[in-house]
Amino acid sequence: IRRSVAITLLEPVVVLEVTEENELEVLRSINECNNSLKAAKLCVNDGQVWIGIELFLPKDACLEEIVSRSARAIIGAFMKLEMELKGL
């Protein structure tokens, strides 16, 4: 049995301020993103949209590849959120 450890590689990335005017649109867009994305998850904390990644890694994991892939997932999630907010 391989043992895995859970670590947070990246702090959540703040990508958007949430206001009373855009809150419903933002929450609906986040829901659409979270339903279609696997690696990255979006949420609202303290009036800001965050994108984060949680990983379970084997002890011998290559962090360089994982960090690179995680960064691409965050960028992809941000682009997906932009598309959802624009109604595309």
Side-chain angles (χ1 to χ4, degrees):
I1 297 174
R2 291 183 64 144
R3 297 167 116 216
S4 296
V5 294
I7 63 170
T8 301
L9 290 177
L10 303 170
E11 289 295 317
V13 178
V14 177
V15 296
L16 179 69
E17 296 291 329
V18 180
T19 64
E20 285 185 27
E21 293 79 29
N22 72 0
E23 184 177 28
L24 183 57
E25 178 185 9
V26 168
L27 292 173
R28 285 180 177 163
S29 295
I30 285 174
N31 189 53
E32 287 298 319
C33 291
N34 286 338
N35 284 336
S36 66
L37 300 172
K38 284 186 174 185
K41 291 300 168 195
L42 295 84
C43 64
V44 175
N45 283 311
D46 296 323
Q48 299 174 325
V49 175
W50 290 12
I51 301 174
I53 305 258
E54 181 181 18
L55 303 168
F56 295 91
L57 305 173
K59 288 183 178 183
D60 59 350
C62 177
L63 292 182
E64 183 177 333
E65 291 176 20
I66 292 167
V67 169
S68 175
R69 188 172 180 187
S70 297
R72 289 191 308 271
I74 288 172
I75 291 166
F78 177 70
M79 293 170 61
K80 173 76 174 162
L81 178 62
E82 281 187 314
M83 288 174 37
E84 290 297 330
L85 288 169
K86 291 178 182 175
L88 300 175

